[in-house]
Amino acid sequence: EDQVTQSPEALRLQEGESSSLNCSYTVSGLRGLFWYRQDPGKGPEFLFTLYSAGEEKEKERLKATLTKKESFLHITAPKPEDSATYLCAAPGNQAGTALIFGKGTTLSVSS
Amino acid sequence: KAGVTQTPRYLIKTRGQQVTLSCSPISGHRSVSWYQQTPGQGLQFLFEYFSETQRNKGNFPGRFSGRQFSNSRSEMNVSTLELGDSALYLCASSLVVGTDNSPLHFGNGTRLTVT
């Protein structure tokens, strides 16, 4: 069964303290790995798509990387405005699935 | 460019009632998907429409239905509401059908509470 698992569930950082969020997947024939950011009371906002192992994409303080088993979202020198829930997702293969989302990592950055 | 618009933002209904949620996609986007988000299950796929046709359907009971109009706007309906239907219902649009090459762009959702 296709699965996407994120860890940790919650992460508290001090402003400027870099860290990484993990997304592991068991989806055969991966056809893309998506990262989203979700703020409270809002819908997920698209960040990145990664397609092949070794691929990296960056946006401001965020960098997403992909291996054959997992993806990482690296946050460099985070600011309080980076506080949000970060979701990763992958297209599923089973009937009745579209994007399979992980449960998310809730990041809190304090000043 | 306007984003995905969902109405209403909040709804409170009673068990047994039915509800209709509305979604207007980004201009030019022809695919609309619906997801249910709950604290326990996260985001779960409901269905996807493209050119007024349902292209994919998730594992939800038949009480959940949807449709898409010729202008790409979409509605979803839940009949005979149950307490467990309380959730954030998210609509997302994309340029093409399927999730491989076209990222989903989400609206801010409709928060449904069933009492």
Side-chain angles (χ1 to χ4, degrees):
Chain A
E1 182 183 341
D2 297 332
Q3 280 193 331
V4 175
T5 305
Q6 293 187 247
S7 63
E9 287 186 22
L11 181 63
R12 290 182 178 272
L13 298 174
Q14 289 289 317
E15 185 172 4
E17 180 186 3
S18 302
S19 188
S20 296
L21 282 53
N22 177 267
C23 171
S24 62
Y25 60 89
T26 53
V27 177
S28 58
L30 186 72
R31 308 189 310 277
L33 190 291
F34 298 81
W35 281 98
Y36 286 85
R37 167 190 170 131
Q38 186 172 25
D39 292 300
K42 294 194 173 183
E45 174 190 353
F46 171 70
L47 292 173
F48 306 108
T49 309
L50 302 166
Y51 288 105
S52 55
E55 188 175 0
E56 299 182 352
K57 287 198 177 169
E58 288 188 64
K59 180 179 180 179
E60 296 181 0
R61 295 176 292 282
L62 301 176
K63 183 169 79 172
T65 62
L66 182 66
T67 72
K68 289 186 177 180
K69 293 183 179 181
E70 56 194 348
S71 178
F72 294 93
L73 185 65
H74 307 277
I75 304 176
T76 302
K79 297 183 177 182
E81 52 261 42
D82 295 322
S83 298
T85 296
Y86 291 86
L87 299 161
C88 69
N93 293 307
Q94 278 98 33
T97 63
L99 269 188
I100 300 173
F101 281 84
K103 296 283 179 70
T105 294
T106 299
L107 173 67
S108 299
V109 182
S110 54
S111 57
Chain B
K1 202 174 194 181
V4 176
T5 304
Q6 291 188 248
T7 56
R9 287 281 280 134
Y10 302 94
L11 267 177
I12 299 176
K13 291 286 187 179
T14 304
R15 270 181 302 175
Q17 289 185 315
Q18 75 165 15
V19 67
T20 299
L21 313 182
S22 181
C23 172
S24 293
I26 292 172
S27 177
H29 285 196
R30 296 173 60 194
S31 176
V32 173
S33 300
W34 289 88
Y35 284 78
Q36 181 195 65
Q37 186 174 31
T38 59
Q41 299 297 319
L43 278 106
Q44 293 186 291
F45 171 69
L46 283 157
F47 24 67
E48 179 181 18
Y49 287 87
F50 183 83
S51 293
E52 302 178 65
T53 302
Q54 186 179 89
R55 301 301 178 119
N56 196 2
K57 187 179 190 307
N59 297 320
F60 278 80
R63 301 185 295 107
F64 292 82
S65 63
R67 59 178 176 168
Q68 186 181 33
F69 302 96
S70 58
N71 61 359
S72 295
R73 194 177 67 83
S74 177
E75 289 181 347
M76 69 163 280
N77 183 275
V78 188
S79 62
T80 320
L81 284 165
E82 300 176 0
L83 294 179
D85 296 333
S86 295
L88 181 66
Y89 290 87
L90 292 162
C91 170
S93 72
S94 61
L95 279 169
V96 298
V97 67
T99 54
D100 296 10
N101 297 309
S102 182
L104 298 180
H105 297 273
F106 286 86
N108 286 330
T110 293
R111 171 74 62 186
L112 173 64
T113 302
V114 182
T115 62

